Structure formats: structure tokens, C-alpha cells
Amino acid sequence: MTDAAGDAVDPGRGSVVTQAWAGVRAALAGFSWCFRSRSIAVWTGAAVLIYVTLWSVAMYVAASWDDRLVHAVMWPRGTAWWESAAYEIAKSALYFVFWLAAVVMTFVVALPIVSPVFAFVAEATENEYFQDPIAHRSSVSELLKELLHSVVRSAALVALHLSGAIAIWVFGLLAGLLFPPAATLIGVALGGGWSAAWIAMAAASYAFENNRTPARRQLALLNAKPGLLLGFGAVAQFMAWIPFFAPLTVVSATVLLCRLHDFGHVELPLRRGHQYNSAPPA
């Protein structure tokens, strides 16, 4: 099993830097893997359609309300030059805060809605990787239960991400009062690292949950391969904010998990015995 993404290469070997670079390459694998089979293409296309539609509607609504809300809050413009300058600065700041809140709220709402489709994207990718489709869901009730679980899990992941980001922001704000230059650098590093680790684990969670992987084993991967996941997340976090590319992070993460399973770094319980690292390259 080998291709341009390096499927025949163990992504979990080498130094932290080597693994980080492997993670960067793995994050980009979704662009080629989404066309590997009709099933992956269909489910990825459905996820893109739903995700882009949600973002488009949210941005349209935000664009319809931004002027009204900003002008409702702003005070009358003064006649002096400094009053006009203060007015324009405050108005620009309000627009920035409004659109930042709109983007964050859209992400908070959109991810749980589209998460059931992401679960099918992960399943299709896994089945194509192993060339051995298995039934992750054996009944309609089990399917409905898993879809609900996927929505709840995604909502919890979003809440965790926002909580961590707020905690890092507060830490940076307080530390900045004592050590301004160092605190800024530490805050940026912590914020970037947190976002990278979160998006890597969130994208991988669909394949993990499809395979009934216990939470402690999922978290063990982050502890065992931090460089690999941070490298993956460094690229994936930018892809995740582009609606057209966000579903590809799930494809990339699923391929990465399958490769890690292939080389014995992580176990996908429903794929016990499906290891091909000893097979000759295809």
C-alpha cells in the first residue's frame, strides 16, 4: 500500500520533528483520498454541500444585521476631529467583534449539525483504505443512536475548544501584565498548539467512534504521538475554517488513523486482524 501520501511509510516513527512533518503531509492527503472511491466522493460532497450551505446562510444573516446592530450601539458622531476619529475607531472595533462572534457562533452550530455526515465520510474512507467494508452499524436503532451520539460529541468538542481558548486568552491577558513580551509569545504558542491538538483529535474522533474506541485510548494517542498530531493540526486548523475544505480534514485524519493502526501505534477495535504493513506495496 503506497501512494503519493506515503501510505507505505510508518508515520509514527522517527523524532518529534520527523513525525510533525509526517503529520503535515497526512493533513493534505484528504485532497487525493476524497476521489479514491465513489462512496468517499459522495459523502465528502454531501458534507461540503451541507457545511457550505450552513456557512452561507449564517454569513448572509450576519451581513443583513451588522449595520443595524452597529449603528444602534454607536453614539452620535461629534464635530471635532478627535471625536470623528474616536467614532470611526469604535465603529470598526464593533464590526470586528460582531463578525468574530458571527464566525464563532456559526462554527459552534454548524459542526454538530454536519457531524453525522462526517461519520459516514470516515466510514467510507476507512473501508476504502482496508479494501474490506465492514458494518459499523447493524440496525436502524443503532444508526439513530450513533447519529445522536455524534451530534452530542461534536457539541462537547466545540465547547471544550472554546473553553480552552478562553482559558489561554485569560492566562495571556493576566501574564501580559507582568511579563508583556514573553507572555505574548507563550500565549500565541499555547493557543496555536491547543487549536492544532484539538482539530487533530476532533477530526480523528469520527473514525475512533465508528470503531467503538474507548476515550482513554483516543487520548493516549495524543500523549504517545504529540508531534504527529500537532503537525497534522497545524495544517488542518486552517483547512477547518474553509467550509469547502473542512470535510477533507476528516478524510485525512481517518487515513492517518488507519496507517497508525496498520503499523501498530493505535488499535481500531473493529479492524483487529486487518493489518497490512507486512504486505508488498500495491
Side-chain angles (χ1 to χ4, degrees):
M1 297 167 57
T2 181
D3 65 6
D7 287 354
V9 179
D10 181 357
R13 71 178 184 181
S15 65
V16 173
V17 175
T18 301
Q19 291 184 33
W21 176 242
V24 170
R25 295 184 64 205
L28 299 173
F31 287 97
S32 60
W33 269 87
C34 67
F35 299 108
R36 282 291 188 95
S37 73
R38 179 182 299 178
S39 180
I40 299 177
V42 168
W43 283 113
T44 302
V48 169
L49 179 61
I50 296 172
Y51 208 54
V52 169
T53 299
L54 290 171
W55 274 89
S56 299
V57 170
M59 294 301 98
Y60 174 79
V61 172
S64 301
W65 281 91
D66 60 347
D67 285 334
R68 304 179 196 179
L69 291 178
V70 169
H71 285 95
V73 174
M74 291 299 297
W75 60 86
R77 182 194 294 267
T79 56
W81 69 267
W82 61 269
E83 291 177 320
S84 296
Y87 180 91
E88 292 299 328
I89 292 174
K91 185 171 73 171
S92 298
L94 281 175
Y95 273 114
F96 174 79
V97 171
F98 173 84
W99 279 101
L100 178 62
V103 169
V104 171
M105 288 304 299
T106 302
F107 182 75
V108 169
V109 174
L111 183 59
I113 291 176
V114 79
S115 61
V117 184
F118 283 169
F120 286 107
V121 170
E123 179 180 329
T125 304
E126 178 190 329
N127 287 339
E128 174 64 19
Y129 181 94
F130 288 107
Q131 291 292 299
D132 184 15
I134 60 174
H136 293 88
R137 306 159 189 88
S138 58
S139 65
V140 175
S141 61
E142 186 177 340
L143 171 62
L144 294 175
K145 180 180 178 181
E146 187 168 330
L147 292 180
L148 178 61
H149 177 70
S150 179
V151 172
V152 174
R153 185 183 73 252
S154 293
L157 285 171
V158 170
L160 177 64
H161 183 220
L162 292 178
S163 299
I166 292 173
I168 291 173
W169 179 79
V170 171
F171 168 79
L173 184 65
L174 295 178
L177 298 177
L178 300 176
F179 311 102
T184 300
L185 294 176
I186 294 174
V188 170
L190 287 177
W194 170 255
S195 294
W198 180 86
I199 191 63
M201 294 302 297
S205 68
Y206 299 98
F208 270 136
E209 292 296 324
N210 282 348
N211 280 272
R212 317 292 193 272
T213 307
R216 59 183 178 81
R217 291 190 181 180
Q218 297 183 37
L219 294 175
L221 176 61
L222 181 60
N223 182 59
K225 304 294 177 184
L228 178 65
L229 295 184
L230 288 176
F232 181 97
V235 176
Q237 64 181 314
F238 293 103
M239 295 170 59
W241 286 105
I242 303 175
F244 286 100
F245 295 158
L248 299 183
T249 63
V250 178
V251 177
S252 298
T254 302
V255 173
L256 178 59
L257 276 188
C258 291
R259 290 172 62 197
L260 290 172
H261 171 87
D262 221 17
F263 287 93
H265 297 294
V266 68
E267 182 185 46
L268 299 176
L270 298 186
R271 290 293 181 178
R272 289 192 180 102
H274 294 76
Q275 292 181 324
Y276 296 96
N277 56 306
S278 60

